[in-house]
Amino acid sequence: MTVSRVSSRVSSRVSSRVSSRVSATRVALAGGIALSSVVLLSGTAFAHVSVQPQGEAAKGGYATVNIKVPNERDNASTVKVEVNFPLDHPLASVMPQPVPGWKAEVTKSKLSKPLELHGKTINEAVSKVTWTADGSKIGPGQFQQFPLSLGRLPEDADQLVLKAIQTYDNKEVVRWIEEQKEGAEEPQNPAPVLKLSAASADHHGGAAAPSASASASASASAATDEKAGHHDEADAKKETAAADSSDTTARILGVIGILVGIAGVAFGVLAGRRRTA
């Protein structure tokens, strides 16, 4: 066998091994980047304004819901939240529960077609509820829940789309108003959607409408609101701490993923040099 052939075969083997090492290095790098990206983004993928029923939200009935508002910014705080209600399926009653540090304002609009509710004709319905910071705000890494009592829910709809507008203290405004289209991916700024369940046998589909006895006990319930508010605030702090811990863990895992990718690159390069030598 000639020297040239031997040299050619050795060169070919070295090139093949180097190419293999380079490919492995690229795979390791891509894997590390992909892992870190998934981990870092997973904490905010679902961080948008949403509506969450507390119990059943049945057609024709009454329901209590929470408007959950997370802060998506690292350098600004949320100071205003506006939730709009559809007038094609109007709600005669929308009552916000007091939230410490926030001022709630209920806006009503005239209806083109009056509603009949408990034997009374309703000519206007709630079109918007606005919460404005009054000694409080939603800081980075935090969220706030705004409870609402709704009724009566429509009987001819499967859901209510509650378009929301979130304002930060740096004047940035985020509009959560995009409606989900069937078969399409979730939009970038989806509007909160309240899913309605089937009406119950009594045709009220949820909590009973406020009665005279309920009104009589309202003052007694109000006496406990302040104490309940303190408990809610403590629970919110615990949930916020848990959210912060989860976010910190996600960031640490993301950094680990990047380091793994870098280590893979270094290993591949060193191994390639050794093989070549």
Side-chain angles (χ1 to χ4, degrees), residues 175-267:
R175 302 179 183 277
W176 303 97
I177 61 174
E178 300 178 52
E179 297 189 36
Q180 176 72 51
K181 296 182 179 180
E182 186 175 357
E185 294 183 358
E186 184 182 59
Q188 183 176 357
N189 294 318
V193 176
L194 175 62
K195 299 288 186 180
L196 303 181
S197 59
S200 58
D202 62 2
H203 302 293
H204 290 291
S211 61
S213 59
S215 299
S217 63
S219 57
S221 298
T224 62
D225 282 347
E226 184 176 357
K227 184 180 294 184
H230 289 304
H231 287 300
D232 291 341
E233 188 173 0
D235 291 342
K237 288 181 179 179
K238 291 180 181 178
E239 292 179 351
T240 298
D244 290 342
S245 177
S246 177
D247 183 64
T248 301
T249 301
R251 293 179 184 274
I252 292 174
L253 290 176
V255 172
I256 291 174
I258 294 174
L259 293 177
V260 169
I262 294 174
V265 173
F267 176 79

Side-chain angles (χ1 to χ4, degrees), residues 23 40 50 100 144 157 167 180 208 211 217 219 269 271:
S23 297
L40 289 175
S50 61
Q144 178 64 56
T167 303
Q180 176 72 51
S211 61
S217 63
S219 57
V269 172

